[in-house]
Each structure stands twice: as structure tokens, then as C-alpha cells.
């Protein structure tokens, strides 16, 4: 059978409508296309500019940390374009594999029956893209359309994403993996991600930024730059990340492993020892590259989920608060946080420290801290700590002079109390009046 | 200033769960602000004159009101709404001939945001101020979201009366001349705002008795935005029908079409085994017909979408006893019989006896039923109509129905 018999018969040439000058157009095609090419190449000439872009920074950092990243985003939002630019700026060749059009054997290896399977076994041959990736030794593997891949393909992908194996082939360490998926709301006919696969990724939600799009269409796209890791701070960053994550999980053991229980959380990030390990890595990378808290928040929440991620970040914020003992040692120079809620938390920690080890000198030092807080901020924050500190007092301790300066705070508290009482009295009066009319 | 701080203390005293958010606000005094306003970076702008005229207890209410705008992310939601409905476009500007921040679109969003807040923050220690903006002004129901008010009501009847209303960009997402902007001092970054929201939400969830219904709902949804049940039910049925053992999967029963081009390679082919879906419907008196109708249509549409043939989708109506399985193809007008008490166990048993044996059982119920003690030998999806927690049985008020078992995937409908 020749090849031509397999091929379908060529389609009949379209019959030109009457009066159409067909013959003229053919010789012109070359020049037309050349002009069109010229126009296209002009259109495609864009430049990049360095631009602070949090989601791009987070993506770059996760790619640098060699963690598989999953980009969630509506179709057409520019996930692929962002990756193309990322690969270009990192100098990595980009290999795109559309997961949904492949079969499980494309990822687990194609079994090839040799001469003597009983002796030699059946090798699992890798597909071409994998072989080329290994030959190049480095590259960005982009698994697109992950959420529309069938469950069997997703199962086969588990091994690619985690163990970096395609059939018998081990992907070299220089290969980074990024995947993309459409959120369930827009992928009406998609499968959802199974929790085991979801747990292996750092989930980043890709949204378009109006300014970036407008400027990009104008010819200037943002440029991703590898976060600069400071070589001298690597050891410190690792120690810091370990201290934070271990300290946090020691305090919140229930957050170590929590399978997604409700339907809304399926297919997203959830905490497990594996994803906490990822969070630790990201924390160390973020610290060494000194990225902003915003980027760190995107990454940590993407690794372990919103709730646990936010709790870890709140724990980090608390670590930033000044140590109560330092404040007590030198109240006059105390540096208190500017933000009201953090300031109050700091003052409460100071009072708690005095309460844990009460002696007169510490008690007076705590009053001095409160005075310092009054000098540098608003007075209403002091009411709760001052009341608590007054309760710590022993009978033989004399009231320090500094307390006089807090008289305004007491006045403020009284004013608030009176106003609460007024409202309560008015409400009671209204109730009585209503009962009266009722009767 | 002192009056303002006393008011904040009052607010913290009567709404302790909002303390973190209230204290996180940075006060900026500015004479050009009409009353009191917040920006998207959690700064609170205050007109000294306004503070002087107001009694402390009403100022406390204003504090809670303004912080509610921020906690409920009205700036982000207002901006998204405006962008979707093109109110930032040139139309708004040319029609009114004024700067968009003075425009009608901004005021509309501010009014709708106030509607969402005001119906549940006053009372219980905070006096209801005179002239407060309530949905009842337009004879609208309370308890809706800002977007719903924007969508349903024209709000134009209030425009003249409320032109003074201005809660700042924190309420509607449009910048004001007096605001310090993102680069100004003492703003909260997005991550810090999320952290404050999270602490407040956790505080409300930790002590559920203290906060009113509206705040509890907000706390539940602050970081888990509710998803439409249709999509959740669809995903659950699709996952159940597509899981290994049911529906589409790879098989070696026939060689793949690709095998011809790669001699020596054994390839599986993609075969579709249409899943048989059995819908067990709770027809006891406690489930309304409208609820059942919408859910049933949805299940039928989904099972067709995953490739189930119509004759493979069957419906069993079940109250205390199960009816017969009716194939969906002649069930365009399914007669749902029942109306008495509920025992879904008989429905499950009947479903498992039916031929072809179901790959997926979808139970639509309000959950006021006993459940099978052992998982059935197929995937189970439960579509649950939410019911307020109350005793279902009047003769035995201590009776609490079992929650759906853990082996079923549960989607709350409605």
C-alpha cells in the first residue's frame, strides 16, 4: 500500500466566483506575504523594562527554588506569554507540553517490546521532548492545560512532577517545572486536580494587571529578573526559615497535615509535611533574596493554603515585634511599632512579661514604656495595657511619678465608659417606652 | 482628637472582635474631608469639625462603619464592579461633566456599600444615628451584598439626598484629592490588610456567640469565597463519573490508533464507558419542589456532559420508602412521589439493586435522614439543601439528624 492511498484525496480547488480576477493574485503572493511579514515582525518587536511585579517575582523565586509551580488563571490571560518571557530572561529553553492531549504512557514511558522481553524486560521509552530536555541538560518544562487532563494522565504526571522521571529517563536537575490550569469556574468541562497532585505544587493565581497589559500592548513588557540571592546570607536564611516554620508548627500542630475537607478547597493548596517543606524552602529563598512580605505571602499561601499561610505570616509579624525584655531594660529608648494593633500587642506583651516575673523595678520600667508609648502615639491604645499593669501592683509598691502623666489615658477611658453607659441607658429607656405603649 | 479616641475605645468595648482592625487604622486629620473617610490603605481621614459636632457614641458607630468598609474589601469590590460595568469609562465623565470621583457611579457604589454594612452593625451598644442610609429607604430587603444592591436597585431616588455621602476610596475604590495614596506614610500593604482581616475573622469564628449573623457570615467567607453550587456539583459528579473504575479511562482492550505508526510499542487506547448515574431524590415534605427541580435539571445536564447516555441516568424518588428507578429518557415530566418522613437508606438499597448498576449515586436531600452505615460500592455525591439547625422531629426534640457520611462528597446547594 503506497502512502498516497492512505492519504485522503486532495480537496477540490474552490471554484472562483464569476468575475473574480484569480490569475492576477498568484504572482503577487510572494510580495504580499513579504510585506505582511514585515508588518508582523514590526508588531512582534517589543522591548522589556524592569518593573516591580509581585506575581512575576513570586513565580521567578519559586522557579529558582526548584519547586513545581502551578499557575491558575482564566484562559487568555497571558500565562503562556509570561512563561515565554521568564524562560527568555532566565536563558532557559522552554518546552511546552499540553497535558490534556497526551496519554498516560507519554509521561510514564511507552512500553516497547524487544527481542526477548523475558530476559531483557520491556523498556519504557521516553517521548522525544523528554529526551531533548535531558540532552539540553536544562530547561523550563511547561505543562499546560493540567486541569483538563484526564485523571489517568494526572496520575502519570505525579511522577514527572515529584520525582522528575519520564519513563526510564531522569530529568536533570537543571530542569524546572511549571504547570498551568484554568480555574474551575471558567473550565466548565474540566476535571479537577486530585489532592495528591495539588499538594505537589506551589499555587499562584495569575491575574492581569491593567497597567502591565496596556503597556505591554504598547510594546513594553515587564522583565523578570532572577532574584539576587545574597551569598553571604544563605546560612542565616536557612536558619531563619527553619526557626520560623518549626516554631510555628510546634505551636500549631494541627496545621501540619489537613486534607481539604470541603468541596471549595479541593484542587488547591493544602498543608502537609511536603508542602510545609516547600514553604520552608520558599521562606529561605525569599529571605536570602530579601523580597517583600507581599511576595512571600503569595508564595507561602500558594504552598500551604490561605489559612495556614496567613497564620504563618501573622506569626512572622509577631516575630518582628520588639522583645519585651529589651523594652523593659531601656524604656526611654524604646522603639515601638507604628501600627496601632501591633503597638498594643507589644505593650500587652510587656505587661505579660512583668506579670510573669513581677518585681518593683520591672513594674516601674513597664510604666515608663507606657509613658514612652503615650509620647509617640495615640492614647487609646494604652487603656487596656495600663489597666492590666495596674492590676499587677503589690500593696507595698508605691505609685511611680510617671503614672501621673497617664492621667489623660484614664480620662479617655472614663469618657468611653460614660458613652457606653449613655447608650445602654438610652436603649433601656426605649425598651421601657416600647413596653409601656404595648401595654 | 481626644473625643475621637474615646469613641474608638467605645467601639472596641462593644465590638471586641473588631479591636485589631480598629487599632490598625491610622488617623489623619484633614479639613477638606466632608466627614470621616477611609482609603484603600487603611488610613482614616477625619474632619475636625465633624468630630466636634458629633457625640462620642455616634462617632463610635462611624468608626465601626468605616472599618467595616475596609474589612469587607469594598474598595477592591467597588473597583472590580466599576471595571466590569465600565463606569470608569468616558461615558461617566462626559455625561456628568465632572471628575469621576465626584460622579454618580462613585456615589452609587458608596450607597450600596453602606446598605450592606448598616443593616447589621448598629444596635447593641451602638446607637442608630439619625439619617442613616438603610436599604429600607428604597424598600429593599436587608442582608444583601453590595453587588446585589448595585444590580437590583437604581438607587437614583437617593442621589439628591445623599450627595454629601463620602466614605472615601476605601468604600468605592476611587481616589480622592485629600488621600495620601499608596506611597504615603503609614499605609497598610495588601498582605498586612489580609493579616488583619484574617485575625478579625478568626476572632469572630473563635467566639461565635458574640458577633451578629452578618459578621459571622463574613468571617466564614472572608478567605473562602463561596463557589456557585452548580459548578461544585458538576465537578463532584464529573470527578465521581470519571474516576478510575467508572466512565472514561484508558484500556488495553483494543489497541490504540497510534499503534499503527509505532510498531513494537504497545499503546492503550482511550475508551469511554458511559457512566450509569442514579439520582436518589429526597421527596420528603421538608424539601421544596423548586429546589428539587433545579437540582435535578442540573444533575441531568452534568451527566450528559460527562458522556452518560440518557438511558443510563435514572431517578429514584424516596421518602420513607423508595420508589422505582425511572430512566431519565422518559422522565421529562418525572412524577416525584412522596411527602412523608425520610429514610434515604432504602433509596440507596434500591439504587444498588437497579440495572445497570450505577457507577455514581447522586443523593439530593436536606440531610434530615439516617444514612447507610457502610459506604456503597460506588462513588457517592450528596447534594445538600441547607437547613437551619433545629430539631426535625417535634415528638422527639433531642433527635439530631446524622451529618452526611465522610465517604460521600458533599455539595451544599443554594
Amino acid at each position: 500500500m503506497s502512502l498516497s492511498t492512505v492519504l485522503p484525496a486532495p480537496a477540490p480547488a474552490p471554484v472562483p466566483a464569476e468575475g473574480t480576477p484569480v490569475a492576477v493574485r498568484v504572482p503577487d503572493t510572494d510580495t504580499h506575504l513579504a510585506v505582511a511579514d514585515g508588518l508582523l515582525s514590526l508588531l512582534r518587536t517589543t522591548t522589556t523594562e524592569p518593573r516591580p511585579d509581585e506575581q512575576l517575582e513570586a513565580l521567578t523565586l519559586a522557579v529558582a527554588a526548584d519547586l513545581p509551580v502551578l499557575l491558575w488563571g482564566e484562559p487568555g490571560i497571558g500565562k503562556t506569554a509570561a512563561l515565554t518571557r521568564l524562560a527568555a530572561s532566565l536563558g532557559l529553553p522552554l518546552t511546552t507540553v499540553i497535558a490534556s492531549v497526551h496519554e498516560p504512557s507519554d509521561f510514564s514511558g511507552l512500553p516497547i517490546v524487544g527481542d526477548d522481553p523475558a530476559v531483557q524486560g520491556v523498556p519504557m521509552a521516553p517521548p522525544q521532548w523528554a529526551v531533548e530536555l535531558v540532552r539540553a541538560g536544562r530547561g523550563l518544562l511547561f505543562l499546560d492545560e493540567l486541569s483538563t487532563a484526564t485523571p489517568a494522565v494526572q496520575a502519570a504526571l505525579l511522577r514527572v512532577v515529584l520525582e522528575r522521571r519520564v519513563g526510564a529517563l531522569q530529568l536533570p536537575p537543571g530542569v524546572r517545572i511549571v504547570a498551568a490550569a484554568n480555574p474551575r469556574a471558567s473550565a466548565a468541562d474540566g476535571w479537577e486536580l486530585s489532592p495528591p497532585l495539588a499538594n505537589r505544587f506551589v499555587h499562584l493565581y495569575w491575574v492581569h494587571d491593567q497597567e502591565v497589559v496596556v503597556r505591554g500592548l504598547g510594546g513594553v513588557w515587564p522583565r523578570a529578573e532572577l532574584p539576587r540571592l545574597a551569598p553571604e546570607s544563605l546560612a542565616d536564611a536557612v536558619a531563619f526559615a527553619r526557626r520560623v516554620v518549626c516554631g510555628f508548627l510546634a505551636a500549631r500542630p494541627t496545621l501540619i497535615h489537613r486534607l481539604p475537607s470541603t468541596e471549595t478547597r479541593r484542587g488547591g493548596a493544602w498543608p502537609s509535611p511536603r508542602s510545609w517543606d516547600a514553604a520552608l524552602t520558599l521562606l529561605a529563598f525569599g529571605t536570602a533574596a530579601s523580597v517583600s512580605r507581599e511576595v512571600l505571602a503569595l508564595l507561602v499561601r500558594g504552598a500551604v493554603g490561605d489559612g495556614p499561610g496567613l497564620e504563618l505570616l501573622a506569626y512572622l509579624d509577631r516575630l518582628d515585634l520588639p522583645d519585651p525584655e529589651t523594652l523593659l531594660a531601656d524604656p526611654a529608648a524604646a522603639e515601638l511599632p507604628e501600627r496601632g494593633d501591633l503597638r498594643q500587642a507589644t505593650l500587652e506583651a510587656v505587661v505579660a512579661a512583668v506579670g510573669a516575673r513581677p518585681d518593683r523595678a520591672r513594674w516601674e520600667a513597664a510604666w515608663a514604656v507606657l509613658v514612652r508609648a503615650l509620647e509617640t502615639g495615640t492614647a487609646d491604645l494604652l487603656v487596656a495595657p495600663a489597666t492590666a499593669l495596674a492590676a499587677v501592683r503589690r500593696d507595698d509598691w508605691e505609685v511611680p511619678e510617671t503614672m501621673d502623666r497617664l492621667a489623660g489615658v484614664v480620662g479617655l477611658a472614663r469618657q468611653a465608659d460614660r458613652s457606653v453607659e449613655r447608650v445602654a441607658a438610652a436603649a433601656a429607656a426605649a425598651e421601657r417606652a416600647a413596653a409601656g405603649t404595648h401595654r | 482628637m481626644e473625643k475621637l479616641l474615646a469613641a474608638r475605645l467605645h467601639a472596641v468595648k462593644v465590638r471586641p472582635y473588631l479591636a485589631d482592625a480598629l487599632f490598625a487604622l491610622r488617623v489623619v486629620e484633614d479639613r477638606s474631608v466632608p466627614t470621616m473617610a477611609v482609603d484603600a490603605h487603611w488610613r482614616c481621614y477625619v474632619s475636625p469639625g465633624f468630630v466636634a459636632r458629633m457625640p462620642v457614641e455616634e462617632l463610635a458607630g462611624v468608626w465601626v462603619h468605616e472599618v467595616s468598609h475596609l474589612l469587607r474589601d469594598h474598595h477592591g469590590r467597588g473597583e472590580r464592579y466599576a471595571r466590569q460595568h465600565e463606569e470608569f469609562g468616558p461615558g461617566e465623565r462626559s455625561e456628568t461633566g465632572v471628575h469621576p470621583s465626584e460622579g454618580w457611579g462613585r456615589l452609587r457604589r458608596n450607597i450600596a456599600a453602606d446598605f450592606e454594612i448598616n443593616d447589621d452593625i448598629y444596635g447593641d451598644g451602638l446607637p442608630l444615628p439619625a439619617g442613616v442610609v438603610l436599604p429600607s429607604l428604597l424598600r429593599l430587603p436587608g442582608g444583601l451584598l453590595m453587588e446585589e444592591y448595585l444590580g437590583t436597585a437604581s438607587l437614583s431616588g437617593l442621589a439628591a439626598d445623599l450627595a454629601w455621602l463620602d466614605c472615601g476610596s476605601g468604600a468605592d475604590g476611587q481616589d480622592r484629592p485629600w488621600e495620601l495614596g499608596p506611597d504615603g506614610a503609614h499605609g497598610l500593604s495588601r498582605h498586612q490588610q489580609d493579616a488583619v482581616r484574617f485575625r478579625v475573622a478568626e476572632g469572630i469564628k473563635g467566639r461565635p456567640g458574640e458577633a451578629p449573623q452578618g459578621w459571622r457570615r463574613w468571617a466564614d467567607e472572608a478567605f473562602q469565597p463561596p463557589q456557585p453550587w452548580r459548578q461544585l456539583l458538576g465537578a463532584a459528579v464529573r470527578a465521581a463519573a470519571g474516576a478510575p473504575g467508572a466512565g472514561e479511562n484508558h484500556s488495553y482492550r483494543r489497541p490504540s490508533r497510534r499503534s499503527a505508526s509505532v510498531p513494537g510499542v504497545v499503546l492503550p487506547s482511550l475508551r469511554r464507558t458511559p457512566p450509569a448515574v442514579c439520582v436518589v431524590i429526597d421527596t420528603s415534605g421538608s424539601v421544596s419542589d423548586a429546589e428539587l427541580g433545579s437540582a435535578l435539571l442540573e444533575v441531568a445536564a452534568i451527566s450528559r456532559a460527562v458522556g452518560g447516555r440518557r438511558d443510563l441516568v435514572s431517578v429514584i424518588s424516596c421518602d420513607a420508602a423508595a420508589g422505582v428507578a425511572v430512566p431519565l429518557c422518559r422522565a421529562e415530566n418525572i412524577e416525584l412521589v412522596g411527602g412523608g418522613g425520610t429514610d434515604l437508606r432504602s433509596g440507596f438499597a434500591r439504587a444498588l439493586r437497579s440495572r445497570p448498576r450505577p457507577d455514581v449515586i447522586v443523593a439530593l436531600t436536606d440531610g434530615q435522614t439516617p444514612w447507610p452505615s457502610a459506604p456503597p460500592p460506588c462513588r457517592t455525591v450528596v447534594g445538600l439543601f441547607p437547613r437551619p439547625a433545629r430539631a426535625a422531629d417535634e415528638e422527639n426534640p433531642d433527635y439530631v439528624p446524622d451529618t452526611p457520611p465522610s465517604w460521600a462528597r458533599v455539595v451544599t446547594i443554594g
Side-chain angles (χ1 to χ4, degrees):
Chain A
M1 187 168 68
S2 75
L3 200 61
S4 60
T5 57
V6 184
L7 291 172
V15 182
E18 245 173 76
T20 321
V22 181
V24 186
R25 212 174 261 176
V26 180
D28 271 2
T29 313
D30 282 348
T31 50
H32 266 299
L33 276 184
V35 175
D37 283 346
L39 181 57
L40 277 178
S41 68
L42 269 181
L43 276 171
R44 283 175 192 152
T45 313
T46 55
T47 52
T48 57
E49 58 177 359
R51 184 195 159 88
D53 182 343
E54 280 160 14
Q55 57 185 8
L56 207 54
E57 222 176 305
L59 171 64
T60 319
L61 200 68
V63 167
D66 197 13
L67 291 167
V69 183
L70 178 55
L71 300 181
W72 289 96
E74 307 288 326
I77 205 153
K79 302 186 289 278
T80 315
L83 269 181
T84 314
R85 287 200 299 277
L86 177 72
S89 58
L90 298 184
L92 289 175
L94 179 69
T95 306
T96 303
V97 179
I98 313 269
S100 56
V101 299
H102 282 269
E103 296 182 350
S105 47
D106 294 354
F107 298 107
S108 59
L110 302 146
I112 295 181
V113 183
D115 293 338
D116 195 350
V119 177
Q120 292 167 353
V122 178
M124 305 294 266
Q128 189 203 3
W129 57 263
V131 176
E132 281 177 359
L133 257 182
V134 171
R135 199 174 298 144
R138 52 208 285 283
L140 195 62
L141 173 58
F142 178 36
L143 304 167
D144 205 356
E145 303 282 343
L146 196 63
S147 54
T148 36
T150 57
V153 170
Q154 288 189 12
L157 274 172
L158 284 181
R159 206 149 168 260
V160 180
V161 171
L162 189 71
E163 291 172 37
R164 317 165 62 93
R165 270 178 171 281
V166 183
L169 209 61
Q170 176 81 46
L171 294 179
V175 173
R176 306 290 204 246
I177 298 175
V178 180
N182 297 327
R184 207 152 51 172
S186 57
D189 52 351
W191 309 94
E192 63 180 12
L193 228 53
S194 65
L197 188 57
N199 194 234
R200 283 162 166 81
F201 282 106
V202 177
H203 300 250
L204 293 180
Y205 292 86
W206 207 258
V207 287
H208 71 269
D209 180 347
Q210 190 190 0
E211 268 180 59
V212 168
V213 172
V214 170
R215 223 168 137 59
L217 292 177
V220 186
W221 290 101
R223 179 166 63 239
E225 278 173 351
L226 250 184
R228 251 178 276 282
L229 301 168
E232 66 279 2
S233 65
L234 294 188
D236 288 345
V238 172
F240 171 74
R242 291 211 166 119
R243 186 160 51 87
V244 168
V245 173
C246 297
F248 175 68
L249 288 182
R252 293 300 312 272
T254 49
L255 288 181
I256 291 177
H257 189 269
R258 192 185 273 175
L259 256 167
S261 55
T262 57
E263 279 293 321
T264 36
R265 288 186 220 198
R266 270 173 187 267
W270 52 279
S272 77
R274 173 174 33 225
S275 53
W276 279 115
D277 186 49
L280 195 151
T281 309
L282 291 168
L283 206 54
F285 266 78
T287 313
S290 45
V291 295
S292 69
R293 249 328 134 69
E294 307 284 304
V295 176
L296 215 51
L298 285 179
L299 289 168
V300 170
R301 287 165 72 171
V304 294
D306 272 344
L310 281 166
E311 282 199 42
L312 178 73
L313 290 161
Y315 181 79
L316 257 182
D317 282 345
R318 298 277 144 161
L319 283 188
D320 289 346
L321 295 184
D323 178 29
E325 295 300 330
T326 323
L327 295 178
L328 285 174
D330 187 4
E335 293 250 349
L336 294 163
E338 281 288 330
R339 243 174 72 192
D341 53 334
L342 298 183
R343 175 173 279 236
Q344 197 182 35
T346 311
L347 296 177
E348 275 166 2
V350 168
V351 175
V354 174
R357 224 155 30 85
D359 74 45
R360 191 167 165 182
R362 286 162 65 81
W363 187 65
E364 282 173 6
W367 283 113
V369 174
L370 288 191
V371 169
R372 171 89 185 143
L374 183 65
E375 286 162 358
T376 55
T378 56
D380 56 341
L381 299 173
L382 298 175
V383 172
T387 319
L389 190 57
V392 176
R393 176 172 174 246
R394 300 289 151 91
D395 293 337
D396 54 333
W397 295 353
E398 276 172 34
V399 177
E401 288 168 25
T402 46
M403 255 187 90
D404 297 343
R405 298 169 63 184
L406 294 173
V409 176
V410 180
L412 204 61
R414 286 221 186 95
Q415 204 178 339
D417 284 343
R418 274 201 303 276
S419 135
V420 173
E421 280 161 18
R422 272 202 302 278
V423 174
E431 208 166 280
R432 274 197 304 278
T437 50
H438 209 66
R439 220 177 286 141
Chain B
M1 188 70 175
E2 194 190 321
K3 202 165 159 192
L4 192 65
L5 296 181
R8 177 151 78 171
L9 277 177
H10 177 150
V12 167
K13 202 158 267 180
V14 294
R15 300 281 185 276
Y17 45 90
L18 299 181
D20 271 329
L22 283 167
F23 283 137
L25 281 178
R26 177 81 186 191
V27 180
V28 181
E29 264 186 76
D30 195 322
R31 289 185 188 282
S32 56
V33 185
T35 53
M36 217 162 131
V38 281
D39 72 1
H41 310 280
W42 289 59
R43 281 176 288 235
C44 183
Y45 302 87
V46 187
S47 144
F50 174 71
V51 173
R53 319 195 270 284
M54 295 287 275
V56 178
E57 51 266 40
E58 291 205 6
L59 275 179
V62 179
W63 269 110
V64 173
H65 176 96
E66 299 297 341
V67 88
S68 304
H69 277 309
L70 295 177
L71 280 173
R72 297 182 181 199
D73 193 26
H74 280 155
H75 50 94
R77 287 162 55 193
E79 214 170 314
R80 273 197 293 281
Y81 188 91
R83 200 171 286 167
Q84 270 169 20
H85 297 78
E86 291 180 275
E87 285 181 14
F88 275 146
E92 180 175 283
R93 241 166 282 194
S94 60
E95 269 170 36
T96 53
V98 287
H99 190 268
S101 70
E102 307 290 320
W104 169 228
R106 154 197 101 62
L107 184 59
R108 262 174 57 103
R109 289 196 295 282
N110 203 151
I111 294 175
D114 281 6
F115 278 179
E116 178 187 320
I117 293 176
N118 284 349
D119 53 7
D120 61 359
I121 64 163
Y122 293 111
D124 194 19
L126 291 179
L128 191 72
V132 66
V133 185
L134 285 175
S136 51
L137 288 179
L138 288 177
R139 298 199 190 78
L140 290 172
L144 299 185
L145 296 178
M146 169 184 170
E147 288 84 354
E148 291 170 314
Y149 286 122
L150 281 170
T152 55
S154 77
L155 308 180
S156 54
L158 293 173
D161 300 337
L162 297 176
W164 51 269
L165 190 79
D166 194 342
C167 292
S169 72
D172 52 39
Q174 276 187 12
D175 296 338
R176 301 292 192 286
W178 60 78
E179 286 176 358
L180 298 176
D183 302 327
H186 307 307
L188 259 65
S189 69
R190 231 177 35 247
H191 144 66
Q192 287 168 329
Q193 297 172 13
D194 271 354
V196 173
R197 276 197 199 104
F198 183 74
R199 274 210 300 284
V200 173
E202 289 295 293
I204 291 174
K205 278 194 251 179
R207 288 168 296 175
E210 290 180 19
Q213 180 69 34
W215 276 115
R216 285 210 302 278
R217 194 184 58 204
W218 169 80
D220 284 339
E221 294 173 358
F223 290 95
Q224 295 287 330
Q227 288 196 24
W229 62 268
R230 280 166 217 280
Q231 279 154 18
L232 288 176
L233 188 66
V237 172
R238 212 176 290 129
E248 189 180 58
N249 215 329
H250 296 269
S251 110
Y252 288 92
R253 272 189 295 183
R254 283 193 216 173
S256 167
R257 278 185 304 151
R258 289 160 111 192
S259 295
S261 56
V262 271
V265 178
V266 186
L267 292 172
S269 61
L270 192 60
R271 289 282 152 226
R272 189 186 285 277
T273 328
V277 178
C278 188
V279 187
V280 180
I281 297 187
D282 180 350
T283 49
S284 61
S286 48
V287 184
S288 83
D289 291 353
E291 283 176 330
L292 281 179
S294 63
L296 184 57
L297 279 179
E298 213 53 44
V299 172
I302 294 158
S303 58
R304 269 202 296 281
V306 292
R309 297 200 310 267
R310 301 192 74 189
D311 57 325
L312 290 180
V313 181
S314 56
V315 176
I316 294 175
S317 50
C318 170
D319 47 5
V324 282
V326 188
L328 195 67
C329 55
R330 37 181 192 86
E332 218 65 299
N333 303 311
I334 285 182
E335 201 172 319
L336 298 171
V337 287
T342 323
D343 190 349
L344 270 190
R345 286 176 300 193
S346 62
F348 272 91
R350 168 74 72 170
L352 291 174
R353 276 206 308 276
S354 64
R355 292 285 172 270
R357 223 170 112 170
D359 297 305
V360 184
I361 294 181
V362 180
L364 300 175
T365 172
D366 60 355
Q368 318 271 353
T369 171
W371 296 94
S373 54
C378 63
R379 313 265 160 173
T380 309
V381 177
V382 175
L384 201 63
F385 300 104
R387 290 286 178 273
R390 57 177 168 79
D393 190 345
E394 284 173 9
E395 287 167 20
N396 181 8
D398 295 333
Y399 166 77
V400 178
D402 297 331
T403 50
S406 56
W407 39 259
R409 297 184 57 165
V410 182
V411 176
T412 307
I413 293 179

